[in-house]
């Protein structure tokens, strides 16, 4: 009967280490926000429209801000299990496209202002982040190199080709399905793009999607430690005993080496400009400047 007693301290030690880790991540966000508040002088008040990425789980009093290309499909599946009141029990039984149907999950922008404020104050809030350039390459590979993403090719590809490619063929202008990574980068750093409309959510900064300087997140999970962080959150939510975050070995997933390769052909000038666009995400979530960058 001695054994269980020995296990308890080890587990609580792991939890306290994890708690400290999340405190360090929170502090990093706070410090970055403070240090950069001068540059983001427009301390605007959030509008309901800013909150459409915040998924609400009433039953467990949790709010999850989803960031595309950071395991958001699986987290949305988990949120559907949590909010489905028994409709689903296994996240992986939910088809991926089903997880992205907006009516399947409730987002914070659907509430009244007092309800929003109450939830932001009292619910456990979390998000997941990823090395910004790895996330960007992942978005590029998914949206511009897959033949089935015709809506992206039409909506963005044609625009990118028109703006960035000299002597583009009529077919390329019509289809937009062969955008090069260099052209994608040129499009992102083009001031015209920024003025024209907000970035698509797949390459928008986490800073702009989740507003970590306005919303105080309790937990910041990282893609690099996805399983541990996810299961820790499920444990804190009190559902860890019956719900585990889906594990999967994705052979196609974008890696650091792959990202390095994609950046080989980007001029140092463009690399510097692109880093400026994503700089706050790098600083806020403690990602160092990639070693492959040739910054000006």
């Amino acid at each position: 009967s001695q054994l269980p007693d020995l296990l308890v301290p080890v587990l609580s030690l792991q939890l306290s280490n994890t708690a400290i880790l999340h405190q360090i991540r929170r502090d990093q966000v706070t410090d970055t926000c403070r240090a950069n508040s001068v540059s983001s002088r427009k301390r605007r008040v959030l509008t309901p429209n800013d909150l459409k990425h915040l998924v609400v789980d009433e039953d467990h009093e949790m709010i999850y801000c989803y960031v595309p290309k950071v395991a958001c499909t699986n987290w949305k599946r988990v949120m559907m299990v949590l909010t489905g009141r028994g409709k689903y029990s296994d996240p992986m039984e939910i088809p991926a496209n089903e997880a992205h149907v907006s009516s399947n999950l409730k987002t914070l922008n659907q509430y009244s202002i007092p309800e929003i404020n109450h939830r932001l104050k009292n619910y456990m809030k979390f998000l997941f982040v990823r090395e910004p350039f790895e996330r960007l390459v992942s978005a590029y590979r998914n949206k511009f190199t897959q033949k089935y993403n015709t809506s992206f090719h039409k909506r963005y590809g044609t625009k990118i080709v028109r703006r960035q490619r000299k002597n583009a063929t009529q077919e390329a202008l019509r289809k937009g399905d062969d955008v090069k990574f260099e052209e994608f980068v040129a499009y992102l750093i083009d001031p015209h793009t920024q003025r024209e409309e907000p970035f698509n959510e797949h390459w928008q900064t986490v800073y702009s999607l989740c507003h970590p300087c306005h919303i105080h997140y309790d937990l910041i999970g990282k893609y690099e430690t996805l399983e541990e962080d996810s299961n820790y959150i499920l444990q804190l939510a009190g559902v860890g005993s019956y719900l585990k975050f889906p594990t999967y070995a994705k052979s196609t997933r974008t890696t650091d080496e792959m990202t390095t390769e994609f950046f080989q052909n980007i001029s140092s000038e463009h690399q510097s400009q692109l880093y400026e666009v994503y700089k706050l995400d790098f600083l806020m979530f403690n990602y160092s400047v990639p070693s492959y960058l040739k910054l000006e």
Side-chain angles (χ1 to χ4, degrees):
S1 64
Q2 283 300 292
L3 198 60
D5 298 347
L6 292 172
L7 288 174
V8 177
V10 176
L11 188 64
S12 57
L13 189 68
Q14 278 175 331
L15 287 185
S16 63
N17 280 346
T18 311
I20 292 164
L21 174 73
H22 283 277
Q23 180 63 53
I24 291 169
R25 289 178 185 172
R26 281 196 298 275
D27 291 345
Q28 177 77 19
V29 170
T30 309
D31 295 347
T32 309
C33 291
R34 202 174 291 134
N36 291 277
S37 62
V38 192
S39 62
S40 56
R41 186 69 50 75
K42 328 181 271 294
R43 277 280 302 180
R44 57 195 189 81
V45 176
L46 292 181
T47 64
N49 193 41
D50 291 317
L51 307 172
K52 51 183 188 287
H53 273 250
L54 279 78
V55 175
V56 182
D57 171 4
E58 294 286 349
D59 298 354
H60 305 93
E61 305 205 334
M62 296 202 301
I63 293 174
Y64 159 56
C65 182
Y66 71 90
V67 178
K69 306 314 297 170
V70 192
C72 88
T73 306
N74 277 353
W75 257 110
K76 283 180 177 179
R77 285 168 161 148
V78 169
M79 294 301 275
M80 281 172 71
V81 171
L82 290 174
T83 56
R85 309 212 165 169
K87 193 170 157 191
Y88 312 98
S89 61
D90 176 4
M92 293 318 272
E93 279 174 6
I94 303 170
N97 56 348
E98 188 83 359
H100 297 293
V101 174
S102 54
S103 58
N104 281 333
L105 290 165
K106 199 156 187 200
T107 47
L108 199 55
N109 57 337
Q110 297 167 3
Y111 292 83
S112 69
I113 303 286
E115 287 173 327
I116 288 173
N117 287 331
H118 170 78
R119 280 158 185 74
L120 282 176
K121 199 167 145 211
N122 298 294
Y123 283 17
M124 178 171 92
K125 300 171 293 296
F126 68 96
L127 78 163
F128 274 79
V129 299
R130 182 177 186 178
E131 202 280 338
F133 285 171
E134 195 181 288
R135 177 176 163 241
L136 192 65
V137 169
S138 177
Y140 166 78
R141 290 178 65 218
N142 179 256
K143 298 301 168 197
F144 294 107
T145 69
Q146 305 289 346
K147 289 295 168 217
Y148 60 80
N149 265 321
T150 47
S151 62
F152 264 82
H153 302 157
K154 282 258 183 293
R155 170 110 174 67
Y156 295 100
T158 53
K159 188 184 290 180
I160 294 171
V161 169
R162 187 174 69 243
R163 215 184 283 168
Q164 307 300 338
R165 190 179 302 175
K166 292 185 173 66
N167 316 324
T169 64
Q170 283 306 308
E171 188 182 28
L173 289 165
R174 195 180 74 249
K175 285 188 172 168
D177 64 353
D178 65 344
V179 170
K180 296 184 184 67
F181 185 64
E182 298 86 290
E183 295 171 329
F184 178 51
V185 168
Y187 163 79
L188 293 175
I189 57 179
D190 183 348
H192 188 83
T193 306
Q194 305 264 10
R195 282 197 301 270
E196 191 175 52
E197 58 182 347
F199 275 5
N200 176 279
E201 59 174 25
H202 289 83
W203 48 86
Q204 180 59 280
T205 59
V206 177
Y207 172 76
S208 305
L209 290 175
C210 296
H211 316 285
C213 291
H214 295 72
I215 294 171
H216 183 78
Y217 287 92
D218 302 290
L219 297 147
I220 296 156
K222 292 202 156 187
Y223 190 73
E224 295 75 19
T225 46
L226 177 61
E227 271 169 55
E228 303 94 295
D229 292 348
S230 298
N231 288 321
Y232 177 64
I233 290 168
L234 294 173
Q235 215 171 334
L236 289 178
V239 298
S241 57
Y242 65 87
L243 184 58
K244 291 275 174 279
F245 193 75
T247 59
Y248 60 109
K250 264 238 167 129
S251 54
T252 58
R253 93 173 191 84
T254 304
T255 59
D256 183 42
E257 293 76 44
M258 218 178 267
T259 306
T260 305
E261 225 164 281
F262 272 89
F263 272 86
Q264 295 288 288
N265 302 332
I266 307 297
S267 70
S268 57
E269 187 192 356
H270 280 188
Q271 287 185 1
S272 297
Q273 289 172 292
L274 191 68
Y275 180 76
E276 282 304 313
V277 174
Y278 292 93
K279 188 177 175 179
L280 278 178
D281 279 6
F282 275 101
L283 296 174
M284 200 168 274
F285 306 117
N286 208 12
Y287 287 107
S288 49
V289 177
S291 55
Y292 55 76
L293 280 199
K294 316 179 281 279
L295 294 184
E296 294 272 281

